[in-house]
Amino acid sequence: MSNKQFDVVVIGAGPGGYIAAIRAAQLGFSVACVDEWSNAKGGPAPGGTCTNVGCIPSKALLQSSEHYEHAGHSFKEHGIDVSGLSLNLGQMVKRKDTVVKQNNDGILFLFKKNKVTFFHGRAAFGGAAGAEGYPIAIAGKDNETINAKQVIIATGSNARALPGAEFDEKLILSNTGALAIDAVPANLGVIGAGVIGLEMGSVWRRLGSKVTVLEGLPTFLGAVDEQIAKEAHKLFTKQGLAISLGCKINSVTKGADNVTVEYADAKGEAVTAVFDKLIVSIGRTPNTNGLGADKVGLALDERGFIAVDGDCKTNLPNVWAVGDVVRGPMLAHKAEEEGVAVAERIAGQHGHTNFDTIPWVIYTSPEIAWVGKTEQQLKAEGTPYKAGTFPFLANGRARALGDTSGMVKFLAHATTDEILGVHIIGPMASELISEAVVAMEFKASAEDIARICHAHPSLSEATKEAALAIDKRTLNF
Ligand SMILES: Cc1cc2nc3c(=O)[nH]c(=O)nc-3n(C[C@H](O)[C@H](O)[C@H](O)COP(=O)(O)OP(=O)(O)OC[C@H]3O[C@@H](n4cnc5c(N)ncnc54)[C@H](O)[C@@H]3O)c2cc1C
C-alpha cells in the first residue's frame, strides 16, 4: 500500500503548528498535522507547551490565585466580608486541567472543521525527499509513514535544566511541575526572574508560599523599559516576593523532602537556602529531539535552533520551521504569526511577520506589557525621543477597580512624533497593549492616539493621556 500523500505536513501542534495547519488548509492544501503530546489518559493533547504546560494553564492558575488573594485582602475594602475563606488547591488544579482540556478539544475540533488530518505520535524524517516528497515516519498511537510535498516543523522548546540539577518534577520543577504542585509549599525557591519565574512565583506566593527568587543577572527584567522594571521590582517586593539579583548558583542538592541551594549573593557572600520545592526557570532550549534532522541534513545553528532565513525557510527545499524551535522571541503569538506567514508563502502569497511590533506580556499583578523600543534602547542607538507617562492613580476606572498601581509610558520620535515604544505596568496591561500595537503597525504618531476619543471611564484613557504627556498636555494629571 502506498503512503498517504499530503501537500503539507506540519510537525507539532503547538500554536505555531496547529495555526500553520489550519491556514494551509484554508488555502486549499491537503494538510496533516502530527503531534506526540498525550493527556493523562493517553489521548491526544494538541496545543503544545502553550496549551498543556505554558500560557493557558499558567493563566488559569494566575486567575484563580488572584481571586483567592482578592477574597483575602481586597474584598473588605469593597464592603464584602468573607469569613471561613479557605483554599481548595485540588479544585483549583482541576479547573486548570479542565481549561487545558477545553483548549485541546477545541484544536481537535478545528482540525476536523478545516479538514486537517491529525496523527497522534512522534514524527521523524524518514529520508531525503523523493518524487512524492519527504517521507515522514510517525510512531506512537498512530504508526505509519506519510509523504509531504512541504514540511513545516513546529516542534517547540523544552525547559532548560541547571547543570547537575535535573528536573524530577517533585522537588526540582520545570514549568510542568510548577503548574501541578499538589500542596502549597511553605518555602518555595525560584531560580530565574524571567517571565515564567515571576508568573509562577506570583501564583504560589498568592496561595501562601514564602517565595524567594534568585536571579543571576544584576538587573531586574533587563529587557523591560528600566522605569517600568523599577516600578515592577518595587511592587513585587512590596507584595512579598523576595528577589535577589546578581546571584551565582554554586550547587543545588536534593534532600529527602527539600532542596538546598548554595549561592553567592550580589556582594559575593556565600548563602545557603533550603526550599521545600525549587522552580528552575532559566530559559528554554529548542526541541529537535527525534526529528531525524541529521538523516536529511537539516541545518541547526550554533545554539541548536533550526537555522532559518527571514522567511522561515530552512536549508532544505520545501522544509520550513516556525515558533520556539527557530530564532526570535519564544512567544505563542510569534509562533502563530510565523505559521500563518509560512502557509501563505507556500501558497505563493507574501506572508509577513513584523518582529518590531510583537507585544510582550508578563501576567503578574500588575501586568506588564510592552511593544517596540525601550528608553534605554533608544538612548543606546542615539535616537532622539520624547517620553510621556500617565499613572493609573489618576485614572477614574482604575480607582473604581481599586487597582491604581503602575503607569502607561509612551516613547515617540522627537521630531516626527512616530510612536517608537509603549510600555505599560498596571491593570489589564495585556489588553491595553493592543492599541499600541495597532498604532505602531499603522506608523501612528503619539498625537494620533492623543486625538482619538477613548471611552470614559476606561483604563484606555491612561493610554490617551500618556500620548498627551509626550507634549506635556495631560488633562487629568
Ligand atoms: C509556563 C509558561 C508560560 C508561558 N506563557 C506564555 C504566554 O503567556 N504568552 C506567550 O506568548 N507565550 C507563553 N509561553 C511560551 C509559549 O508557550 C511558546 O512560545 C509556544 O508554545 C511556542 O509554540 P510552538 O508551536 O513553537 O511550540 P510548542 O508549543 O512547544 O509545541 C510544540 C509541539 O510539538 C510537539 N512535538 C515536538 N517534537 C515532535 C515530533 N518529533 N513529532 C510530533 N510532535 C512533536 C510537542 O509535543 C508539542 O506539542 C509560555 C511558556 C511557558 C513554559
Side-chain angles (χ1 to χ4, degrees), residues 11-18 34-37 45-56 58-59 121-124 154-157 175 179 195-196 199-200 284 287 289-291 322-325 329-335 361 363:
I11 304 179
Y18 91 78
V34 191
D35 192 279
E36 62 179 341
W37 208 299
T49 300
C50 169
T51 299
N52 292 295
V53 291
C55 322
I56 300 299
S58 61
K59 266 82 256 178
R122 171 170 282 205
T155 47
S157 61
N175 53 298
L179 289 161
V195 179
I196 295 171
E199 290 187 2
M200 291 296 91
R284 298 181 61 82
N287 175 21
N289 299 336
L291 190 61
V322 301
D324 278 12
V325 78
M330 286 187 167
L331 292 168
H333 41 285
K334 174 265 195 184
V361 181
Y363 293 82

